[in-house]
Each structure stands twice: as C-alpha cells, then as structure tokens.
Amino acid sequence: MADVMSMDDIRSEAARLNIDLSSIDWDSVRVPPGQDFGIKSDDEDLNEEDSLEFDGGFGNVIIVDNLPVVAREKFEKLEGVVRKIYSQIGVIKENGLWMPVEEDTGKTRGYCFIEYNTPQEAELAKEKTNGYKLDRAHIFAVNMFDEIDKFMKVPDEWAPPEIKPYTPGENLQHWLTDEKGRDQFVIRAGSDTEVLWNDARQVKADPVYKRPFWTESFVQWSPLGTYLATVHRQGAAVWGGASTFNRLMRYAHPQVKLIDFSPGEKYLVTYSSHEPSNPRDTHRVVLNIFDVRTGKVMRDFKGSADEFAIGGTGGFTGVSWPVFRWGGGKEDKYFARMGKNVISVYETETFSLIDKKSIKVENVMDFCWSPTDPIFALFVPELGGGNQPARVSLFQIPGKEELRQKNLFSVSDCKMYWQSNGEYLAVKVDRYTKTKKSTYTGFELFRIKERDIPIEVFELDNKNDKVIAFAWEPKGHRFAVIHGDNPRPDVSFYSVKGGKVLKLTTLKQKQANALFWSPSGRFIILAGLKGFNGQLEFYNVDELETMATAEHFMATDIEWDPTGRYVATSVTSVHEMENGFNIWSFNGKLLYRILKDHFFQFLWRPRPPSFLSPEKEEEIAKNLKKYSKKYDVQDQDISVLLSEQDREKRKQLKDDWERWVNEWKKYHEEEKEARRALRDGEDSDVEEEYEAKEVEVEEELDVKEEVIPDA
Amino acid sequence: MRPILMKGHERPLTFLKYNKDGDLLFSCAKDHTPTVWFADNGERLGTYRGHNGAVWCCDISRDSSRLITGSADQSAMLWDVKSGKQLFTFNFDSPARSVDFSVGEKMAVITTDPFMGLTSAIHIKDIAANPADQVAESKLVIKGPQGRINRAVWGPLNKTIISAGEDAVVRIWDAETGQLLLENDKEVGHKKPITSLAKSTDGSHFLTGSLDKSAKLWDIRSLTLIKTYVTERPVNAVAMSPLLNHVVLGGGQDASAVTTTDHRAGKFEAKFYDKILQEEIGGVKGHFGPINALAFNPDGRSFSSGGEDGYVRLHHFDPDYFKIPSI
C-alpha cells in the first residue's frame, strides 16, 4: 500500500469489497498510528506531542463515570435524569447518549457515553459536571473520550525518568554585550517582522533578523528584553538567542488573543475569549499562566466573561487587560485581579490565593500595584449618595494590612499614578463643584517610603483647569502636568523633594497632549499627537529650557529607547499616509527616518536594570568626562569614516552618472544627421542647447522739440 | 520665490506643457478648454474651444504653430496655435488620454482608454504638413497592455514608442511594426499604476511617477533603471530640470480623501530631488489639493505646477536656487 491510490482505484477497490462509497463518513476513518500510507505529512507539528487539538474525532464525546447501577426497570428513569443534566449544557446528538448494560442481568454498568455536537460543549460539560454530586454515593467522574487513550498509556510500573544530559543554552542576553552599546528594536510592517540595531552614530538601522509572517497578530518583548513573543492561532511562542532568533518555547493556547509577561518575565499570561455555543450566554474566557522557561501551565482560569469583567462603571462590561496585575517588583511573587467587591491576590509559590481567600472591598473600582513593593493602592467610589465617602487605601501583601487610608468627598473619579521607584503615589481626584455641574481636579500625593506615609494635598494654580496628562519623572521626584481648557494648554513641572510640592515652572500655550519622560529622567518630550499633528518639544527639566522643537507629521507613537539616548516617533497604519518612523537624539536632532507602508509596530528591546549600585552610578555621572573620552574618540573616527564613505558614495554616483551622460552624448552625436533628416534638414546643432541672449531694444516712444529760451 | 497664480480653469488641471522657446505655457484641465499663457508673467493669451470633455494631454510643435490635444470626448484635435482654429479632429471610440508629436512632427502617437469593452490602444497617426491633406486613418494601432495607458511618447529617432500605465509596466514598442521590444524588469519596476512620464530634453532618458510613492529614471534605449526617488505620497506628476540635475515630483493624497484631514496631511508640495544623489533637496508648497501636472520651462529658470484646485502656479526661481551645490 505504499503507492498513493488514485480516486479511480479507490472506486474499483470499493466495488470489489461491496462498499457504498457515498455512505461512508470519511471523518470517522482512522488510520492506525504510525501508518502514513506513503503520504508524507508536510506539517511538522503533527509529529509533536502538543498537537492534541488536531486529533479530533471523538473530541465531542465524554464518559460519565460513577453513575448508579440500576436494574432494567429503572433504566429509563436514570437515562432521563442523565439526559436532563447534560442537555442543559449543550445539544446532545441524536442517539448521542449511550448507557451500556450487562447482557445477562440487564443492569447498567455505572457509566455512559454522551456525544455532543461540538467539542466545546463536551469540554464545558466535563468542566461543569466533573465532581457533580448526584447523591452521596454517586459523585460523577467525567472524562473526555479522547483522554482514555492517554490514561491507557500510563505504564503499570514506575520507571525512573531518563536524565537528559545538560546542554548549555545560548546566552539570551548576548545583545547587551554589543561593543558599540547599541539598542535593538523590532518593527512590524506589512507581513514582515524585523529586528534591527539602532546604529545612531552611523545614522542608520542595521538589520539583525527578518522573518515574514513571524506572528499572526502582534509581537511583544518580555519586560527585561530576553524574549520576543509572537502570537499565533495555536498559542504564543517566545524567541531569542545569542546571534539570531530561535524559537525557545511554545505555549499552546488555541485562539490566544492577548499575552502579558510578569515583570520579572518568569511567567506568561495568555488570554482568549470564545464564542458561546448559546448566543444568549456571555463569552467564555480562558486564561493560562505559563512558566516562561519550562512552558508548563502553572494555573488556568476559565469562566464567563462576566466574571473577568472588572472596573466597570454603569453597566460597562468587557475584560480590561491585563486581567492579572503583577505585584512585588521583579520577583514575580504576587499577582492579583479585581472581582466584584473583592481583590484576589495569588502568590506564585503555590499559584493559589493568599490565605485561601480574597480581600473583600465593597465596590472597589480600581487598584494598582506599586512597581517595586508588594503594596497596592485601591480606589472605592462614593456610596449611598455621598453618605459614605470615597476612599483610597494602601494595602500591604502578604499581610493584607491597610497601611494608609484617605477619605475623599464629592469625588467623581480617581486615577492613580505610581512613581517608577514606588516612592510616591499621586492620586488625581476629580471632584464635583458645589453645584455638581462641573468638576475640578486636585492631587493627593502619598510619600510611601516615609514614616506613616504622609499625604500632601496639592492643586493647580487654577484648580478649574482640566488635566490632560500627568507623568512622573522615572526614578525622580518631579512630575509634569498638562492642564488647561484652551486649545493650547499649559504644561507645568513640580517637584516633591523634601515633602513640599514646589512648582518649578509653567510653560504657557503649548501644542501638547502627551508627556514622554526619558527613562533616565531629566529630559521630557511634550508631544502633540493626534489633533496636533505630531508637534514635538524636547525639554530639559534640569535647566528648564527647550532644547529643540520639531515635528513628525501625523506621529501616532513615541517611545524612548531604554537608555534614554534616543527616541523613536512613528506613524503607524492608523493613517494611510506617511507610515514609518523617525529616530531622534535625546535633544531633538533628527538622526534618520525610514518609511514603511503598512507600518504597525515599533518596540525598543527593553534592557534589564543596571547592576551598578546607585553610588557607582553617581560616581560615573560625576566623572563623566573621564568615561566619555573613549567614546569621543570613537565618535570622531566614525564621523571621519562616515564623511569618507559619503564622499566615496557621491563620487561613485557621480561617476556612474557621467558614464550615462557620455553614452547619451555619443548616441546623440551619432543620431544627429538622422534627426536633421527627420526635421527636413533643419539644423539641429543647437537644437537642445538653450541660450539666453540679452537683446537690447531701443524704441523711440515720443519725439518732442522744445525750445529752451535764453536766460 | 513668489509664485504667479493663474486662475483660468474651473476644474482640476491635468497637464502642462511649455513650447520649445519657453515663452508660452499650455495648460489642459478637466474643463474642456485648453489655455495658453505667457510663460513669463502668467497673462492669459487665449483658449482653444471645441472639446466637449476633459482634456487630458497636449503637445506643441517645435515651431509653436500646431497644438494637438487629447480629450475624454473621444477625440484628439489639431489646432492652429496662433488663431485658435481647429484644423482637424481625430475621432475614436474611447477617450484619448495622451498625445505626443514625433521628432519632425510628421507623426503623432495618441493613446485611448479602455472603454465599453474596448481595450486600451496606442494609435500612430501621420500628420500632414498641410491640414487639408490630413487623413484620419491610423498608421499603426498597438494593443496589448491591460488597463489604461497613461502616457506614450516617442523614443529616439521616432523608432520606438515608450508606454506606461495602470499595469505599472514600462514598455518599448517598435514604432514601425508595433512589436513589443522591451518590458521593464519586474523586480525593480513600479508596484502600482504609473501616472506620469517625462522625457529629458535630449530624449536620452525619462522619468516615471507612480502611485507606489516613487519616481524612477530609465534609460530610453535599454530600459535600464538608473535612479529611484522615494517620496511619502502617491506621485501624479514628474518633471526634470533641463538646466540643473534636479527632478520634481508632485502628487498627494487622493482627492476624495483630502477634506478629511489637515491640509498638510495631503502633502501637496512639489518636491525637488537631486537627480544623481536621489536625495530630497526642497519643496514648494501652495496648492490646496494634489498636484496633477508639472512642467519645467526649457530654460530651467522657472517651472509651473497645476493642481486639483484648478490653479496653475508659475514659479520663477530665486537666484539662491541656482546656488544649490551639486556634486
């Protein structure tokens, strides 16, 4: 049977065996394992273990065990009960319920098979009724039919697992050792995804790795830059390596929509939402938490979309991403999610709730982890028509103690902003005015690291100003606010050093609606995106002066590189025109621009935090001259090299052009006579040479004779 | 550089052409009436009335005595430049898109659009010295390319025809037999419809502009790609300076989408590029709407642009322009 049969062969063979081809359900034909009839599969995945979802066939059948054993006369009653339970979950196929009986006694055997229309229904039925208590003695054990195979394969005797020899992996952080200290970024344009070096000194991007159809929806770096995650229909995958990008691990999760890494990139959360079989039901949501390195599912969460819809006001439903928010800094110790009136905090040692219960907070609206410590802030809105004030609380994990609480009155909304070191928490509070017709904004500043967590109340000069944007200086003590109701709002800078809120300056009438601090602080870009068409102002907050103003027309996104040396502004394909990105220096000098049609994403590869101690960093900053000398020389060399290259290139281009021109001249000369003939002998010598002659024309306009009388 | 605004058309401009001496500028628009202007001060000299549809293209004889125009009214007309009289009408079964006189003006190439089941075609007509002897028959009809042929011009010594159009391919045809001689290399060619084509003064090379946001410079004999100029918007019009190594590209967002965004969003600038280095060197703003037509004065000291906004803008270069360093 090694040869492939043609359809004709199949028909004649069927006729010989007396088989009616039209009556065969082809899907039910199963090929013995390992048999391929000489047809090689071109899908490598088929040979791999994690492809169970392709096995299909009996995926819509479940086995219900631990049913009561009943005599023949009670058979129908039992069947009725089982049917009633299982038809609530999905549509049981016609003759899809089969309860075997003992041949001699007619008694049931205590189990049955149920076939649903779809595997999803079967899956759901298994989930919902496994462990269902029919009565005390009969607790259902429900399994997928497909899984029986798996259970059969379990060997009877335990054999020690084979210990694989250790093979050292690649250095996944190799990119950090780049001699020139460059940074990488990934771009996605059209069907291509490409990783490049930002070679700013040579004012160009240097390709690292390019792959078409690398991902099916988007790509994402892990928070420390070790991995690049891609998203596919079957699940997510991470890529990395020393010199190129190899697939390091796959995470099976059919129809995954969103992914999220834990801050220390130990875990990966994947999310998918599935159409319900019954349109009246809400979407079913599946969340998996994988261990990034081993690819093991650490915990999965399933449920209806309602259970995961959080933070909604006034009937808003939908899952807000990320569902799980990671706390406790880079150690990935805790993650939490908000539910109705509760905040559930899990810890990653056991992947279960801390103390086995959630924290009860009536009507909690929003919560937010400190970026460094296991502390989170939460906001509860006003209740009972103002009888119960709104409140912001700080909770410490794992103790679940409330560290600080502040009651707030006539609040319409609150937003929480943590400073990146977790030293400060700013809460922007929108309050109703007395008439309740409008709102005004104030800030509550929590100084987390100080004793008893003092709170500073602070308002803008004109407290009726609308706040458009707020941003903390990373690792710093300053923040910037865009405020005002004008079409051109004002931008103010404040410092909270020493417990007092001190205004540094206000810049009037800026075309800005977004703030982008450099990751190393000190510099900020005041950007006017969307309505302002990509206005950029590069501002130095130490000197309180504008370094440069520029425009990247229609810019939609701005991202600083992780070192704060360069900035990328990009126009993604929300617009049809101008797609591509610009790279700027920190002080607003345009270095280079690359245009790409259908440009979707630009992401800098993050860097892990520096190993240098703060003291060492300070010392370097102090003696910067000494350290930078080396680089000055390199810069010099490169700029000489560049201008040399540039000259070379220009010369080359010029020579090429000259060659063309000479050739054309030659042809032109050769064809002169022929051309003259075409023109009936009109002289064509000067035909293409245009000469501007200056011709002086004197014209007598008027002649008059006048007699000048003698004096 | 203060442009002279020439308002004489009521509809978007389609084509601009200077005469050989550079003293007259002929403009075509969708408003049926080609117009002639003084190229120096932008004064309107006269119009050519007779077409009954948008006029897509025109050409002027070397001695500035004859004008040929191609129109959407399914005709191409010969005019006496001085008097504005119609001398002859070539009738077709579909709109005439492009016209070009041969060297010596004894022939003209006219392209017609695909229309009502007809395919596009390139027609070669004999042009009689005396209009009385003019015949309507085509000397040769070339068919083949899919979609509209936006421009067809004569190659060196009238031996070849170069055509370009919606199928994004540049082709060279034998003008005697109608045989296809060359097609451009698909790898390096345009990816979207070619909208415009301009020959160099000496006819040795030509520039094509395309909706794929680029313009390409080709050798007219071998069809070798010499240069590519990349811009940020679809290119509707191209021109080459006869004086300096500069090329100009004009274009912009589709006219139907311009009102939805900021006027700068369309980028309706005429962009200047260094012909050899392929680098952008400057831009001339002004039109409210895409630029549909560009032409250089044969002396290279002024150029004009025609826009979707119905204006012709005539720019005399500042002295600074001639000081732009070249390599």
Side-chain angles (χ1 to χ4, degrees), chain A residues 533 551 664 678 680 687, chain B residues 20 106 213 219 262 264:
Chain A
N533 280 325
E551 185 192 45
W664 290 332
L678 283 174
D680 298 330
E687 59 177 0
Chain B
K20 169 87 179 70
K106 291 199 188 64
K213 303 177 185 172
D219 177 57
D262 187 282
R264 285 172 304 169

Side-chain angles (χ1 to χ4, degrees), chain A residues 532-533 535 551 553-554 575-579 593 595 597 646 649-651 653-654 656-657 660 663-665 667-668 671-672 674-675 677-680 682-684 686-690 692, chain B residues 20-22 62 103-104 106 156-158 192 201-202 204-205 213 217-219 221-222 224 226-227 230-234 245 252-253 262 264-267 275-279 298-299 327:
Chain A
F532 289 135
N533 280 325
Q535 295 290 334
E551 185 192 45
F553 189 62
M554 317 261 272
H575 300 301
E576 213 175 298
M577 310 284 290
E578 316 280 328
N579 278 198
R593 60 180 306 174
L595 295 171
D597 262 356
D646 201 39
K649 201 182 110 201
R650 279 164 185 259
K651 192 168 160 1
L653 283 171
K654 195 182 169 183
D656 285 350
W657 181 253
W660 278 109
E663 195 183 323
W664 290 332
K665 270 199 186 134
Y667 277 118
H668 204 69
E671 290 168 356
K672 196 153 113 188
R675 216 170 20 244
L678 283 174
R679 288 197 173 132
D680 298 330
E682 192 188 331
D683 194 12
S684 57
V686 289
E687 59 177 0
E688 328 301 355
E689 297 294 317
Y690 186 90
Chain B
K20 169 87 179 70
D21 300 326
R62 199 175 141 85
V103 175
K106 291 199 188 64
L157 300 180
N158 301 343
K192 285 190 179 168
T201 323
D202 64 353
S204 61
H205 55 288
K213 303 177 185 172
L217 193 73
W218 311 82
D219 177 57
R221 292 179 178 87
S222 62
T224 316
I226 303 172
K227 302 282 177 192
V230 182
T231 177
E232 296 138 347
R233 74 217 74 154
N245 280 321
Q253 203 178 357
D262 187 282
R264 285 172 304 169
K267 288 255 185 172
K275 195 172 185 176
I276 302 170
L277 299 178
Q278 307 172 90
E279 283 164 9
D299 70 1
I327 52 166

Side-chain angles (χ1 to χ4, degrees), chain B residues 23-34:
Chain B
D23 60 341
L24 298 177
L25 172 64
F26 293 82
S27 64
C28 303
K30 289 185 180 171
D31 64 2
H32 311 185
T33 324

Side-chain angles (χ1 to χ4, degrees), chain A residues 170-225:
Chain A
E170 281 180 279
N171 178 6
L172 298 180
Q173 298 192 320
H174 189 266
W175 96 98
L176 291 169
T177 61
D178 181 49
E179 259 178 34
K180 300 176 198 157
R182 298 172 298 180
D183 275 293
Q184 285 188 350
F185 57 86
V186 66
I187 55 169
R188 210 156 58 76
S191 52
D192 290 347
T193 305
E194 204 175 344
V195 178
L196 301 124
W197 288 110
N198 168 31
D199 208 332
R201 282 199 206 151
Q202 309 226 30
V203 291
K204 61 173 188 169
D206 205 6
V208 180
Y209 185 76
K210 181 176 180 173
R211 199 177 156 122
F213 305 105
W214 199 354
T215 177
E216 280 173 47
S217 53
F218 59 94
V219 291
Q220 191 174 326
W221 293 106
S222 63
L224 306 182

Side-chain angles (χ1 to χ4, degrees), chain A residues 58-237:
Chain A
F58 294 109
N60 52 346
V61 181
I62 55 169
I63 303 168
V64 185
D65 231 326
N66 286 348
L67 288 176
V69 176
V70 296
R72 191 172 294 155
E73 48 273 23
K74 281 195 161 179
F75 178 88
E76 281 193 9
K77 192 175 177 198
L78 177 62
E79 201 191 44
V81 169
V82 172
R83 192 179 287 280
K84 197 175 161 194
I85 294 168
Y86 283 94
S87 56
Q88 281 170 0
I89 294 160
V91 182
I92 300 173
K93 269 197 181 170
E94 208 174 319
N95 302 326
L97 180 86
W98 185 51
M99 206 177 319
V101 292
E102 302 265 0
E103 270 166 42
D104 41 350
T105 60
K107 276 189 173 175
T108 63
R109 290 170 180 240
Y111 58 87
C112 76
F113 301 89
I114 296 170
E115 186 175 7
Y116 280 105
N117 265 335
T118 62
Q120 283 81 6
E121 286 169 314
E123 179 95 19
L124 191 67
K126 177 199 155 188
E127 234 170 76
K128 283 210 168 170
T129 61
N130 193 14
Y132 179 91
K133 281 185 188 157
L134 189 66
D135 55 48
R136 202 174 244 210
H138 300 102
I139 298 168
F140 287 1
V142 185
N143 287 299
M144 304 296 292
F145 188 84
D146 276 347
E147 284 169 324
I148 297 294
D149 253 3
K150 206 165 78 189
F151 297 141
M152 297 293 281
K153 274 192 206 150
V154 177
D156 290 341
E157 263 177 57
W158 181 80
E162 216 179 299
I163 295 167
K164 284 186 198 151
Y166 170 72
T167 46
E170 281 180 279
N171 178 6
L172 298 180
Q173 298 192 320
H174 189 266
W175 96 98
L176 291 169
T177 61
D178 181 49
E179 259 178 34
K180 300 176 198 157
R182 298 172 298 180
D183 275 293
Q184 285 188 350
F185 57 86
V186 66
I187 55 169
R188 210 156 58 76
S191 52
D192 290 347
T193 305
E194 204 175 344
V195 178
L196 301 124
W197 288 110
N198 168 31
D199 208 332
R201 282 199 206 151
Q202 309 226 30
V203 291
K204 61 173 188 169
D206 205 6
V208 180
Y209 185 76
K210 181 176 180 173
R211 199 177 156 122
F213 305 105
W214 199 354
T215 177
E216 280 173 47
S217 53
F218 59 94
V219 291
Q220 191 174 326
W221 293 106
S222 63
L224 306 182
T226 316
Y227 310 104
L228 182 72
T230 56
V231 179
H232 308 268
R233 220 171 317 137
Q234 297 92 335

Side-chain angles (χ1 to χ4, degrees), chain B residues 5-227:
Chain B
L5 249 76
M6 291 141 74
K7 174 74 184 159
H9 290 288
E10 292 163 359
R11 298 283 318 276
L13 269 287
T14 55
F15 196 77
L16 290 168
K17 179 98 185 174
Y18 282 92
N19 68 342
K20 169 87 179 70
D21 300 326
D23 60 341
L24 298 177
L25 172 64
F26 293 82
S27 64
C28 303
K30 289 185 180 171
D31 64 2
H32 311 185
T33 324
T35 302
V36 59
W37 317 75
F38 277 119
D40 187 43
N41 58 8
E43 222 174 286
R44 191 165 69 162
L45 194 59
T47 54
Y48 298 90
R49 292 185 182 275
H51 273 302
N52 201 17
V55 181
W56 294 119
C57 192
C58 71
D59 197 13
I60 299 97
S61 68
R62 199 175 141 85
D63 61 2
S64 303
S65 65
R66 297 285 173 78
L67 172 73
I68 185 169
T69 55
S71 161
D73 66 3
Q74 311 192 357
S75 75
M77 287 184 185
L78 279 172
W79 310 79
D80 183 58
V81 167
K82 210 187 253 177
S83 64
K85 266 195 209 127
Q86 278 177 48
L87 299 178
F88 194 81
T89 306
F90 299 101
N91 285 309
F92 300 98
D93 297 324
S94 61
R97 175 68 51 174
S98 135
V99 291
D100 192 43
F101 277 128
S102 68
V103 175
E105 285 107 31
K106 291 199 188 64
M107 288 182 284
V109 57
I110 303 169
T111 67
T112 52
D113 288 351
F115 185 65
M116 305 276 283
L118 287 169
T119 59
S120 55
I122 302 168
H123 305 260
I124 296 172
K125 304 274 187 189
D126 273 319
I127 303 291
N130 183 349
D133 305 335
Q134 182 65 47
V135 290
E137 274 66 51
S138 296
K139 194 173 154 192
L140 181 69
V141 179
I142 305 170
K143 286 180 183 168
Q146 285 296 307
R148 208 160 67 201
I149 301 167
N150 281 324
R151 194 89 172 98
V153 295
W154 292 93
L157 300 180
N158 301 343
K159 282 185 181 146
T160 53
I161 302 278
I162 294 99
S163 77
E166 274 184 336
D167 62 357
V169 182
V170 184
R171 292 186 177 83
I172 296 186
W173 311 84
D174 188 312
E176 286 284 323
T177 62
Q179 243 175 356
L180 179 64
L181 299 176
L182 280 171
E183 263 186 34
N184 72 271
D185 188 349
K186 288 271 187 327
E187 282 293 298
V188 299
H190 284 295
K191 301 282 179 282
K192 285 190 179 168
I194 297 169
T195 50
S196 51
L197 189 159
K199 270 203 298 184
S200 69
T201 323
D202 64 353
S204 61
H205 55 288
F206 64 93
L207 183 68
T208 53
S210 159
L211 297 182
D212 67 4
K213 303 177 185 172
S214 73
K216 286 172 191 281
L217 193 73
W218 311 82
D219 177 57
I220 209 162
R221 292 179 178 87
S222 62
L223 203 54
T224 316
L225 179 71
I226 303 172
K227 302 282 177 192

